[in-house]
Amino acid sequence: MPAEMGLWRVDGEKLTRVVPTAVSLESQLESYIESDASMLGEALLIIGRQVPTAHGGFIDLLALDETAAVYVIELKRDKTPRETTAQVIDYGSWVATLGRADIQAIFENYQPGIALEEAFAEMFNETLPLEVNSSQVLTIVASSVDPATERIVRFLHEEYALPINVVFFRHFVDGGNSYFARSWLVEPTSQAAPTSASSRRSKTRERWNGTDWYVSFGEYEGGRQWSDGRKYGFVSAGGGEWFSRTLKNLKPGARVFACIPKDGYVGVGTVLGEAERFDELKVEYQGAETLLASLALDGNYRRDGDENDNVAEWAVPVQWSHTVPSGQGFWRTGMFANQNSATRLRQQFTIEQVSTAFGLNEE
């Protein structure tokens, strides 16, 4: 049994117990949780309320945690113990079939006009992971449960590692003030265990369109400058194999979205050729192929030891569709950013936002 929750008021040297009372309406408790889901012991982003399932039921609340696992939150109503537990498992089995697009649609219906990526970033100060709903956590909210429900939930949690738990609330009223106290049936741990099923990944992870790439154009004083990349048509990286290796994945025809860290997206263009050492790459300038290193550059692309290919600066020629100067980068909360020099850009939110901002959809 969970520990009994008690509350006492201190009156001088005397303690007076405050007797718990029932919440007048379960919808009221639902609203309390919706307003601050940390009541459940975890930072959660509510993404839906009274969400209709494909089987005729309505899930009280759906939420995401910082890993983008989905929490199915069901308030206990007047049902038999087996119905209560079976219902939340049934809801969880349905939620497990939902792809990323389904989760986004649920949120858009719940919060029209707000992108899930933005809400997630505001809540957790993190970019929405590429995989959403790769695991589920089932939570029953109740003031109490009978021995059968407790036995079933413990069995599923402890013997089968099913992430299911009961959160107990007690409501206290004292002197015109209301208080809530909370405890768990099973002491909470990191409940959401990521699934290893590759068949789920295609639904829970945004698909790559095979064309778009994110490129981090890391400007720094005395070194690489975006003004050069913008003027002469290139992106570059170097100073170690880790930096240049991913840049070499860019192939002719790929579309790159160039981003300056802490500034924003500054350019979108098409890759014209394979990556080469900066001091060997030729670009078309004023109608002629010209050695990039021989042009008038604002930045410095040489470094000690760069006779070694792993240390050298590498560059990829790009024909820009649209660029903006450094310091005028485009950024919205929730957009994709990554520490790799180049990586596949899967996040449709970023592609759409940058395309709109740069007028690419009008071309």
Side-chain angles (χ1 to χ4, degrees), residues 82 200 274:
R82 287 177 178 80
R200 295 258 313 128
E274 302 274 354

Side-chain angles (χ1 to χ4, degrees), residues 115-161:
L116 178 59
E117 290 83 355
E118 287 186 276
F120 190 92
E122 293 256 356
M123 179 70 191
F124 300 111
N125 198 29
E126 293 285 350
T127 302
L128 182 68
L130 293 176
E131 290 191 48
V132 174
N133 192 29
S134 62
S135 58
Q136 301 77 40
V137 177
L138 313 180
T139 303
I140 299 171
V141 178
S143 59
S144 64
V145 295
D146 63 1
T149 299
E150 179 181 344
R151 184 176 66 252
I152 293 168
V153 170
R154 285 190 182 278
F155 176 73
L156 293 172
H157 187 102
E158 296 170 2
E159 298 299 324
Y160 287 91

Side-chain angles (χ1 to χ4, degrees), residues 28-209:
Q28 186 177 359
L29 178 56
E30 193 174 295
S31 295
Y32 290 153
I33 296 172
E34 183 182 32
S35 68
D36 185 2
S38 65
M39 292 173 66
L40 300 179
E42 190 92 26
L44 296 174
L45 171 66
I46 300 296
I47 61 170
R49 179 173 178 175
Q50 291 300 309
V51 177
T53 72
H55 310 296
F58 288 84
I59 301 173
D60 289 334
L61 293 167
L62 279 181
L64 295 181
D65 70 6
E66 63 181 356
T67 70
V70 175
Y71 279 57
V72 178
I73 303 164
E74 189 64 19
L75 276 65
K76 183 178 181 293
R77 291 183 169 85
D78 297 328
K79 298 180 178 67
T80 65
R82 287 177 178 80
E83 284 178 343
T84 301
T85 310
Q87 183 183 54
V88 74
I89 293 174
D90 180 42
Y91 288 164
S93 69
W94 175 76
V95 168
T97 68
L98 302 180
R100 183 189 180 105
D102 300 313
I103 297 298
Q104 288 179 310
I106 289 171
F107 181 77
E108 287 170 6
N109 185 61
Y110 174 66
Q111 292 281 8
I114 302 176
L116 178 59
E117 290 83 355
E118 287 186 276
F120 190 92
E122 293 256 356
M123 179 70 191
F124 300 111
N125 198 29
E126 293 285 350
T127 302
L128 182 68
L130 293 176
E131 290 191 48
V132 174
N133 192 29
S134 62
S135 58
Q136 301 77 40
V137 177
L138 313 180
T139 303
I140 299 171
V141 178
S143 59
S144 64
V145 295
D146 63 1
T149 299
E150 179 181 344
R151 184 176 66 252
I152 293 168
V153 170
R154 285 190 182 278
F155 176 73
L156 293 172
H157 187 102
E158 296 170 2
E159 298 299 324
Y160 287 91
L162 182 69
I164 184 172
N165 210 342
V166 180
V167 177
F168 297 101
F169 280 101
R170 287 289 189 273
H171 180 229
F172 301 90
V173 178
D174 181 47
N177 296 316
S178 293
Y179 304 92
F180 275 95
R182 173 197 67 206
S183 67
W184 291 267
L185 176 62
V186 181
E187 187 63 26
T189 56
S190 179
Q191 298 188 69
T195 179
S196 60
S198 58
S199 60
R200 295 258 313 128
R201 180 165 295 181
S202 62
K203 294 183 65 177
T204 62
R205 188 178 192 183
E206 281 194 294
R207 293 181 179 181
W208 183 49
N209 60 19

